[in-house]
Amino acid sequence: MSNSTEEQLDLQISIAVTSHQKVVNVASVPKRSPFRYPGGKTWLIPYLRQWLNSLQTKPTLFLEPFAGGGIVSLTVAFENLAEFITMVELDQLVSSVWRTILGDEAEWLAIQIEAFELTAANVDFVLANSNPTARELAFQTILKNRVNRGGILAPGAGRLKEGESGKGLRSRWYPETLAQRIRDIGRVRTRIAFIEGDGLSVMRTNAHRQDMVVFIDPPYTASSKRAGSRLYNHSELDHNELFRITDTLKGDFLMTYDNAREVRHLATSYGFDTKPVAMKNTHHAKMSELLIGRNLDWLQNP
């Protein structure tokens, strides 16, 4: 069977499996993150709640080794679904935002966002600073995330032109809302630790903890589609090693991946449970992603 034929069969299976599922209404999910993040997991939140509420005890530690836009970790913190949360992110730009928001410069960042007059010239001026301080880098990153197409921070990302309703650059710039999200995070920041570094290393170090659960949302580069390769500054990952480390975890885990043949085969080789779930992409097309865990019997249509 050719690769193209197998891919068509995969698509048919995915459509058949998810056709009866409701697509999560992301508008009903509280927006916690200041990022408009490519590959964000707002659609996952109802499933996240199901998973964590199905556990016999509340986890002491919730670890997210590929934090990105942070919606999952923030939801766990705001809804008190674990005692403590550790977010890990390798990307320096994304990390600068989390360090600032979870540190002592959060109010400065909120004020900068509120006061900024968003014009193409002002955006160019801010982004032209090649030697920013840590908090200035955080502001640059938020700005770039909001004016780039799809929120993409990787090199080569284009800027919004028409945007929503012809608003151009302003179509994704909500200064009061963004500032309020930053201030809201301040209410739970004492329960959140942030590490700028390698998520796999942090998983290895903590694999022995039975009181820890891990949510794993890696760059989607395991399949031939390599969907995450153009979205992130750090997209290369040893997916086999990720699955090997995951298999050593003493606590529970939930993993999301693109619903691809290569990923399903990898999960099966470790005896993990897999189930596709329906979601919509940024173009509002219905598609499926893959949930992976030791046992997904808790999974219900939200």
Side-chain angles (χ1 to χ4, degrees):
M1 184 181 296
S2 67
N3 287 338
S4 61
T5 303
E6 288 187 352
E7 288 174 359
Q8 290 174 2
L9 181 59
D10 286 344
L11 179 59
Q12 292 171 0
I13 293 172
S14 173
I15 292 173
V17 170
T18 61
S19 60
H20 68 286
Q21 293 181 350
K22 294 180 181 178
V23 176
V24 171
N25 178 12
V26 296
S28 67
V29 177
K31 305 299 186 296
R32 305 293 191 185
S33 174
F35 282 102
R36 178 181 176 232
Y37 208 75
K41 288 293 174 286
T42 304
W43 63 268
L44 179 78
I45 298 305
Y47 298 108
L48 173 79
R49 294 171 180 145
Q50 286 183 28
W51 170 45
L52 294 177
N53 287 327
S54 75
L55 301 177
Q56 292 184 348
T57 59
K58 181 193 294 187
T60 301
L61 176 63
F62 179 92
L63 172 63
E64 187 174 5
F66 305 94
I71 180 61
V72 171
S73 286
L74 293 178
T75 298
V76 173
F78 276 97
E79 299 185 11
N80 197 28
L81 298 174
E83 298 295 340
F84 298 97
I85 296 91
T86 294
M87 301 168 63
V88 186
E89 176 57 49
L90 186 60
D91 188 296
Q92 180 188 15
L93 300 184
V94 178
S95 294
S96 71
V97 174
W98 292 123
R99 285 186 180 278
T100 301
I101 291 177
L102 297 172
D104 296 329
E105 300 283 5
E107 183 60 22
W108 177 90
L109 182 59
I111 291 173
Q112 284 293 111
I113 290 171
E114 288 175 323
F116 185 71
E117 182 182 356
L118 194 141
T119 66
N122 286 345
V123 170
D124 288 339
F125 179 78
V126 171
L127 298 184
N129 181 1
S130 60
N131 190 30
T133 64
R135 67 183 190 177
E136 288 171 344
L137 181 61
F139 180 61
Q140 282 185 338
T141 302
I142 289 290
L143 189 58
K144 187 181 296 185
N145 174 253
R146 287 284 159 176
V147 301
N148 281 1
R149 290 196 191 96
I152 299 173
L153 296 172
R159 284 193 194 171
L160 290 169
K161 291 183 180 179
E162 294 298 325
E164 294 180 350
S165 303
K167 295 180 181 179
L169 290 180
R170 293 179 178 273
S171 66
R172 293 294 185 175
W173 186 249
Y174 318 115
E176 293 81 11
T177 298
L178 296 176
Q180 188 59 53
R181 289 182 191 175
I182 290 170
R183 293 183 175 116
D184 288 343
I185 293 170
R187 296 191 284 108
V188 296
R189 70 173 188 167
T190 57
R191 296 172 48 228
I192 304 175
F194 178 77
I195 298 172
E196 180 179 351
D198 176 26
L200 296 185
S201 178
V202 178
M203 287 177 64
R204 289 190 197 98
T205 301
N206 293 278
H208 65 283
R209 295 192 56 165
Q210 296 182 346
D211 63 341
M212 176 186 76
V213 298
V214 186
F215 170 67
I216 305 164
D217 179 37
Y220 288 1
T221 54
S223 71
S224 58
K225 293 182 291 185
R226 295 182 58 82
S229 59
R230 66 178 182 82
L231 300 178
Y232 311 112
N233 289 315
H234 299 277
S235 61
E236 295 303 317
L237 178 69
D238 187 337
H239 295 272
N240 286 286
E241 177 64 4
L242 171 58
F243 274 78
R244 189 197 68 77
I245 296 170
T246 301
D247 193 41
T248 70
L249 296 174
K250 298 301 182 183
D252 203 9
F253 73 90
L254 179 64
M255 187 185 298
T256 58
Y257 258 99
D258 53 344
N259 187 14
R261 183 179 62 258
E262 299 93 333
V263 177
R264 293 195 298 271
H265 287 175
L266 191 55
T268 300
S269 70
Y270 280 93
F272 296 156
D273 199 2
T274 63
K275 289 187 180 179
V277 293
M279 52 87 69
K280 287 186 178 180
N281 64 14
T282 54
H283 302 291
H284 305 291
K286 186 174 180 179
M287 55 186 297
S288 69
E289 291 208 12
L290 197 67
L291 295 188
I292 303 172
R294 286 201 178 91
N295 186 326
L296 299 179
D297 287 348
W298 51 265
L299 185 62
Q300 299 176 359
N301 201 9

